[in-house]
Amino acid sequence: MVDRTGHVTSDRTSSNAYWSANVRIILISLAIWFACSFGLGILLRPALEGIKIGGADLGFWFAQQGSIYVFLVLIFVYAVVMNRLDRQYGVDE
């Protein structure tokens, strides 16, 4: 297999690099979602109590709606990043 720079790579090396990049993107996405849903919505809720958004405390807002919005944004970001990764490794559709 020849990569975009003209270097010959084995399918196994390319496959491992693609899988490693995919897992890294997933772990980063999960960490962001965890930080927003569990961190801001549960652990840091008392600290965010004084900040109001839409008439509710910021911690309550993250627990009820904010983590859902973050999850939806992460889905679209994941799709864009994975499409770019697919093109980079030549596995796009």
Side-chain angles (χ1 to χ4, degrees):
M1 172 183 272
V2 178
D3 63 8
R4 294 186 186 267
T5 61
H7 295 97
V8 177
T9 60
S10 69
D11 287 339
R12 185 149 178 91
T13 303
S14 178
S15 175
N16 287 341
Y18 175 77
W19 181 249
S20 295
N22 185 6
V23 169
R24 185 175 55 249
I25 293 166
I26 291 171
L27 290 176
I28 290 170
S29 298
L30 286 173
I32 292 170
W33 192 32
F34 177 80
C36 289
S37 62
F38 190 73
L40 294 174
I42 296 173
L43 294 179
L44 296 177
R45 186 169 185 272
L48 300 173
E49 197 169 317
I51 303 170
K52 300 284 186 190
I53 184 168
D57 291 330
L58 186 59
F60 177 77
W61 184 82
F62 266 108
Q64 297 302 312
Q65 295 179 357
S67 61
I68 295 170
Y69 292 145
V70 169
F71 180 66
L72 291 174
V73 168
L74 282 173
I75 289 172
F76 290 109
V77 169
Y78 177 78
V80 169
V81 172
M82 282 306 298
N83 283 337
R84 190 177 305 138
L85 189 68
D86 289 348
R87 282 192 303 275
Q88 179 183 350
Y89 285 94
V91 294
D92 55 338
E93 297 175 359

